[in-house]
Coordinates of all heavy atoms in Angstrom, one line a residue:
R874 N -9.5 -5.8 4.5 CA -10.8 -5.4 4.0 C -10.7 -4.7 2.6 O -11.6 -4.9 1.7 CB -11.5 -4.4 4.9 CG -11.7 -4.9 6.3 CD -12.6 -3.9 7.1 NE -12.0 -2.6 7.3 CZ -12.5 -1.4 6.9 NH1 -13.7 -1.5 6.3 NH2 -12.0 -0.3 7.1
F875 N -9.6 -4.0 2.3 CA -9.4 -3.3 1.1 C -8.3 -4.0 0.3 O -7.3 -4.5 0.9 CB -9.0 -1.9 1.3 CG -10.1 -1.0 1.8 CD1 -11.3 -1.5 2.3 CD2 -9.9 0.4 1.8 CE1 -12.3 -0.6 2.8 CE2 -10.9 1.3 2.3 CZ -12.0 0.8 2.8
T876 N -8.5 -4.1 -1.0 CA -7.5 -4.6 -1.9 C -7.2 -3.7 -3.1 O -8.2 -3.3 -3.8 CB -7.9 -6.0 -2.4 OG1 -8.1 -6.9 -1.3 CG2 -6.8 -6.6 -3.3
I877 N -5.9 -3.3 -3.3 CA -5.6 -2.5 -4.4 C -5.1 -3.4 -5.5 O -4.4 -4.4 -5.3 CB -4.5 -1.4 -4.0 CG1 -4.3 -0.4 -5.2 CG2 -3.2 -2.1 -3.6 CD1 -3.4 0.8 -4.8
S878 N -5.4 -3.1 -6.8 CA -4.9 -3.8 -7.9 C -4.8 -2.9 -9.1 O -5.2 -1.8 -9.1 CB -5.8 -5.0 -8.2 OG -7.1 -4.5 -8.6
R879 N -4.1 -3.4 -10.1 CA -3.8 -2.7 -11.2 C -3.9 -3.5 -12.5 O -3.4 -4.6 -12.5 CB -2.3 -2.1 -11.1 CG -1.8 -1.1 -12.1 CD -0.4 -0.8 -11.8 NE 0.5 -1.9 -11.8 CZ 1.6 -2.0 -11.1 NH1 1.9 -1.0 -10.2 NH2 2.4 -3.0 -11.3
D880 N -4.6 -3.0 -13.5 CA -4.7 -3.7 -14.8 C -3.8 -2.9 -15.7 O -4.1 -1.9 -16.2 CB -6.1 -3.7 -15.3 CG -6.3 -4.5 -16.5 OD1 -5.4 -4.6 -17.3 OD2 -7.4 -5.2 -16.6
N881 N -2.6 -3.5 -16.0 CA -1.7 -2.8 -16.8 C -2.2 -2.6 -18.3 O -1.9 -1.6 -18.9 CB -0.3 -3.5 -16.8 CG 0.4 -3.4 -15.5 OD1 0.1 -2.5 -14.7 ND2 1.3 -4.4 -15.2
A882 N -2.8 -3.6 -18.8 CA -3.4 -3.5 -20.1 C -4.4 -2.4 -20.3 O -4.4 -1.7 -21.3 CB -4.0 -4.9 -20.5
K883 N -5.2 -2.2 -19.3 CA -6.2 -1.1 -19.3 C -5.7 0.2 -18.7 O -6.4 1.2 -18.7 CB -7.5 -1.6 -18.5 CG -8.2 -2.7 -19.2 CD -9.4 -3.1 -18.4 CE -10.2 -4.2 -19.1 NZ -11.4 -4.6 -18.4
N884 N -4.5 0.1 -18.1 CA -3.9 1.3 -17.4 C -4.9 1.8 -16.4 O -5.2 3.1 -16.4 CB -3.5 2.4 -18.4 CG -2.5 3.3 -17.8 OD1 -1.8 3.0 -16.9 ND2 -2.5 4.5 -18.4
T885 N -5.5 1.0 -15.6 CA -6.5 1.3 -14.6 C -6.1 0.8 -13.3 O -5.6 -0.4 -13.2 CB -7.9 0.7 -15.1 OG1 -8.2 1.3 -16.3 CG2 -9.0 1.0 -14.1
L886 N -6.4 1.6 -12.2 CA -6.2 1.2 -10.9 C -7.5 0.9 -10.2 O -8.5 1.6 -10.5 CB -5.5 2.4 -10.2 CG -4.9 2.2 -8.8 CD1 -3.7 1.2 -8.9 CD2 -4.4 3.5 -8.2
Y887 N -7.5 -0.1 -9.3 CA -8.8 -0.5 -8.7 C -8.6 -0.5 -7.1 O -7.5 -0.6 -6.6 CB -9.2 -1.9 -9.1 CG -9.4 -2.0 -10.6 CD1 -8.5 -2.5 -11.4 CD2 -10.7 -1.6 -11.1 CE1 -8.7 -2.6 -12.7 CE2 -10.9 -1.7 -12.5 CZ -9.9 -2.2 -13.3 OH -10.1 -2.3 -14.7
L888 N -9.7 -0.3 -6.5 CA -9.7 -0.5 -5.0 C -11.0 -1.2 -4.6 O -12.1 -0.6 -4.8 CB -9.6 0.9 -4.3 CG -9.6 0.8 -2.7 CD1 -8.2 0.2 -2.3 CD2 -9.8 2.1 -2.1
E889 N -10.8 -2.5 -4.3 CA -11.9 -3.3 -3.8 C -12.1 -3.1 -2.3 O -11.1 -3.3 -1.6 CB -11.7 -4.7 -4.2 CG -12.8 -5.6 -3.7 CD -12.5 -7.1 -4.0 OE1 -11.5 -7.4 -4.7 OE2 -13.2 -7.9 -3.5
M890 N -13.3 -2.7 -1.9 CA -13.5 -2.4 -0.5 C -14.6 -3.3 0.0 O -15.7 -3.3 -0.6 CB -13.9 -0.9 -0.3 CG -12.9 0.1 -0.9 SD -13.3 1.8 -0.6 CE -14.8 1.9 -1.6
N891 N -14.3 -4.1 1.0 CA -15.2 -5.0 1.6 C -15.5 -4.7 3.1 O -14.7 -4.0 3.7 CB -14.7 -6.4 1.5 CG -14.6 -6.9 0.0 OD1 -15.5 -6.7 -0.8 ND2 -13.5 -7.4 -0.4
T892 N -16.6 -5.2 3.6 CA -16.9 -5.0 5.0 C -16.8 -3.5 5.4 O -16.1 -3.1 6.3 CB -16.0 -5.9 5.9 OG1 -15.7 -7.1 5.3 CG2 -16.6 -6.1 7.3
L893 N -17.4 -2.7 4.6 CA -17.3 -1.3 4.8 C -18.0 -0.8 6.1 O -19.0 -1.4 6.5 CB -18.0 -0.5 3.6 CG -17.1 -0.5 2.4 CD1 -17.9 -0.2 1.1 CD2 -15.9 0.5 2.5
K894 N -17.4 0.2 6.7 CA -17.9 0.7 7.9 C -18.2 2.2 7.8 O -17.6 2.9 6.9 CB -16.7 0.6 9.0 CG -16.2 -0.7 9.2 CD -14.9 -0.7 10.2 CE -14.3 -2.1 10.3 NZ -13.2 -2.0 11.2
P895 N -19.0 2.8 8.6 CA -19.3 4.2 8.5 C -18.1 5.1 8.5 O -18.0 6.1 7.9 CB -20.2 4.4 9.7 CG -20.9 3.1 9.9 CD -19.9 2.1 9.6
D896 N -17.1 4.6 9.3 CA -15.8 5.4 9.3 C -15.1 5.4 8.0 O -14.1 6.2 7.8 CB -14.9 4.8 10.4 CG -15.3 5.2 11.8 OD1 -16.2 6.1 11.9 OD2 -14.8 4.6 12.8
D897 N -15.5 4.6 7.1 CA -14.8 4.6 5.7 C -15.4 5.7 4.8 O -14.9 5.9 3.7 CB -15.0 3.3 5.0 CG -14.3 2.1 5.8 OD1 -13.1 2.3 6.2 OD2 -14.9 1.0 5.9
T898 N -16.5 6.4 5.3 CA -17.0 7.5 4.5 C -16.1 8.6 4.3 O -15.4 9.1 5.2 CB -18.3 8.0 5.3 OG1 -19.3 7.0 5.4 CG2 -18.8 9.2 4.5
A899 N -15.8 8.9 3.0 CA -14.8 9.9 2.6 C -14.9 10.1 1.1 O -15.6 9.4 0.4 CB -13.5 9.4 3.1
V900 N -14.1 11.1 0.7 CA -13.9 11.2 -0.7 C -12.6 10.5 -1.0 O -11.6 10.7 -0.4 CB -13.7 12.7 -1.2 CG1 -13.3 12.8 -2.6 CG2 -15.0 13.4 -0.9
Y901 N -12.6 9.5 -2.0 CA -11.5 8.7 -2.3 C -10.9 9.2 -3.6 O -11.6 9.4 -4.6 CB -12.0 7.2 -2.5 CG -12.2 6.6 -1.2 CD1 -13.3 6.9 -0.4 CD2 -11.4 5.6 -0.6 CE1 -13.6 6.3 0.8 CE2 -11.6 5.0 0.6 CZ -12.7 5.3 1.3 OH -13.0 4.8 2.5
S902 N -9.6 9.3 -3.6 CA -8.9 9.9 -4.8 C -7.7 8.9 -5.1 O -7.0 8.4 -4.2 CB -8.3 11.2 -4.5 OG -9.3 12.2 -4.2
C903 N -7.5 8.8 -6.4 CA -6.3 8.0 -6.8 C -5.1 8.9 -7.1 O -5.3 10.1 -7.3 CB -6.6 7.2 -8.0 SG -6.9 8.1 -9.5
N904 N -4.0 8.3 -6.9 CA -2.7 9.1 -7.0 C -1.7 8.4 -7.7 O -1.6 7.1 -7.7 CB -2.3 9.4 -5.5 CG -0.8 9.9 -5.5 OD1 0.1 9.2 -5.5 ND2 -0.8 11.3 -5.5
W905 N -0.9 9.1 -8.5 CA 0.3 8.5 -9.2 C 1.4 9.3 -9.0 O 1.3 10.6 -9.0 CB 0.0 8.3 -10.6 CG 1.0 7.6 -11.4 CD1 1.3 6.2 -11.4 CD2 2.0 8.1 -12.3 NE1 2.3 5.9 -12.2 CE2 2.8 7.1 -12.8 CE3 2.3 9.4 -12.7 CZ2 3.8 7.3 -13.7 CZ3 3.3 9.6 -13.7 CH2 4.1 8.6 -14.1
F906 N 2.6 8.8 -8.6 CA 3.7 9.6 -8.3 C 4.9 9.2 -9.2 O 5.3 8.0 -9.2 CB 4.1 9.5 -6.8 CG 5.4 10.2 -6.5 CD1 5.3 11.6 -6.2 CD2 6.6 9.6 -6.5 CE1 6.5 12.3 -5.9 CE2 7.8 10.3 -6.2 CZ 7.7 11.7 -5.9
D907 N 5.5 10.1 -9.8 CA 6.7 10.0 -10.6 C 7.4 11.3 -10.7 O 7.1 12.1 -11.5 CB 6.5 9.4 -12.0 CG 7.8 9.2 -12.8 OD1 8.8 8.9 -12.1 OD2 7.8 9.4 -14.0
R908 N 8.2 11.6 -9.7 CA 8.9 12.9 -9.5 C 7.9 14.0 -9.0 O 8.3 15.0 -8.4 CB 9.6 13.4 -10.8 CG 10.7 12.5 -11.2 CD 11.3 13.0 -12.5 NE 10.4 12.7 -13.6 CZ 10.7 13.0 -14.9 NH1 11.8 13.6 -15.2 NH2 9.9 12.6 -15.9
R909 N 6.6 13.8 -9.2 CA 5.6 14.7 -8.6 C 4.3 13.9 -8.5 O 4.1 12.9 -9.1 CB 5.4 16.0 -9.4 CG 5.0 15.7 -10.9 CD 4.2 16.8 -11.5 NE 2.8 16.8 -11.0 CZ 1.8 17.6 -11.4 NH1 2.1 18.5 -12.3 NH2 0.6 17.5 -10.9

C-alpha cells in the first residue's frame, strides 16, 4: 500500500500511501540516519 522513494536531484524523500485505512491515522515523520 505504501511506497517510499527518493529524488536525489531534489534531495527529497516521498511516501506514497494508497488504500488508506483509519488505522493509518498518525503523525508521520521523516528520518535520516548517519551516525545519529
Side-chain angles (χ1 to χ4, degrees):
R874 300 189 297 123
F875 290 13
T876 302
I877 189 171
S878 61
R879 184 179 65 210
D880 186 327
N881 294 337
K883 295 182 179 180
N884 202 25
T885 300
L886 191 68
Y887 300 97
L888 183 68
E889 179 182 351
M890 306 184 292
N891 297 311
T892 320
L893 282 161
K894 305 174 182 180
D896 283 349
D897 295 320
T898 295
V900 175
Y901 285 71
S902 301
C903 65
N904 168 273
W905 186 75
F906 178 82
D907 179 36
R908 292 176 290 178
R909 56 151 286 187

